[in-house]
Amino acid sequence: RIALDTGNIEYATTSVAICISYLIFEGESLNELYLRYNDYETFLQQWPQQPNTNLLKAFLQTVIHLKTENERPEILIGEKINEENMIAEALEVKDYSQLASLFVNKFMLAFLFENYEEAQKIADKLGKWINNITNLLQYPIFLYYRSLLHLSLFHSYSPKQKFFAWQKIKTTRRKLKKWARY
């Protein structure tokens, strides 16, 4: 609201996208989120060229995929967004934080719907951009789900892979514990 009152539209749209992403990870009711998202989407349509408009639509598509049955829920193509177009646009303008946020959503969806092989592929791609969101909630969410993915696949790992996975799990656990304290 303050950003709108002062005319800082980019900050206002960024705030909306961040707010919505936090609500997903907080465990807000999917029906409630969908209604809120539609309100925010209507708000953002006033400024279609703002960088976070696509990101908000990606979050909305994520909610839709969580709510409905979908053969490939980690592929964010639907009524709100086409991830291929979003990725191309983000790469063109070098908006790597938007790419990382999109891929965290894709990773989370792949994991939640137990497509672990695809989740691993997405995590590998995400590695290029993850440092662009270390200041956002999506970063610890990614670390958390990555640890869960390692634990889910642990039985299929070689001894060497088990060692490295266990090291990543322990490091993530320490980080999350420290962040929870503060």
Side-chain angles (χ1 to χ4, degrees):
R1 169 91 355 260
I2 292 170
L4 279 179
D5 290 346
T6 60
N8 191 338
I9 304 306
E10 183 176 353
Y11 188 77
T13 58
T14 300
S15 297
V16 166
I18 289 171
C19 173
I20 291 298
S21 72
Y22 278 43
L23 291 173
I24 287 176
F25 300 126
E26 273 181 8
E28 183 84 19
S29 154
L30 293 176
N31 291 330
E32 182 65 32
L33 271 176
Y34 188 79
L35 293 173
R36 273 196 198 189
Y37 272 12
N38 281 322
D39 289 345
Y40 283 130
E41 186 180 28
T42 301
F43 163 77
L44 288 176
Q45 285 173 348
Q46 300 171 59
W47 304 283
Q49 299 306 312
Q50 289 302 315
N52 289 303
T53 302
N54 279 343
L55 189 55
L56 182 71
K57 290 178 181 179
F59 286 128
L60 182 52
Q61 194 65 49
T62 300
V63 170
I64 291 168
H65 284 234
L66 286 168
K67 282 177 50 115
T68 59
E69 196 169 315
N70 193 319
E71 192 174 306
R72 297 284 312 271
E74 72 279 357
I75 298 176
L76 293 173
I77 295 177
E79 64 186 82
K80 299 298 178 182
I81 193 121
N82 181 325
E83 74 175 41
E84 294 166 359
N85 296 340
M86 184 177 169
I87 291 168
E89 287 175 29
L91 285 171
E92 186 178 324
V93 298
K94 296 179 172 60
D95 189 346
Y96 302 124
S97 62
Q98 193 169 121
L99 280 169
S101 292
L102 172 71
F103 274 80
V104 168
N105 284 7
K106 290 171 60 60
F107 176 69
M108 179 186 71
L109 287 167
F111 178 81
L112 289 174
F113 288 95
E114 299 178 1
N115 189 348
Y116 301 137
E117 187 178 311
E118 190 61 31
Q120 186 61 57
K121 289 177 188 175
I122 294 168
D124 293 343
K125 287 180 188 176
L126 180 54
K128 298 179 219 174
W129 305 301
I130 195 68
N131 288 334
N132 292 284
I133 60 167
T134 56
N135 60 332
L136 298 176
L137 181 62
Q138 285 93 332
Y139 182 67
I141 295 294
F142 166 71
L143 294 178
Y144 173 75
Y145 279 108
R146 187 183 65 186
S147 291
L148 291 178
L149 178 64
H150 284 310
L151 291 169
S152 298
L153 298 173
F154 204 76
H155 67 281
S156 66
Y157 287 167
S158 70
K160 187 176 181 179
Q161 288 173 313
K162 285 181 180 180
F163 174 79
F164 287 113
W166 192 247
Q167 294 307 311
K168 285 182 182 178
I169 292 166
K170 287 191 327 189
T171 301
T172 296
R173 185 171 173 258
R174 276 194 299 275
K175 283 181 183 179
L176 293 175
K177 211 172 179 181
K178 180 179 178 180
W179 292 335
R181 252 193 337 265
Y182 295 101

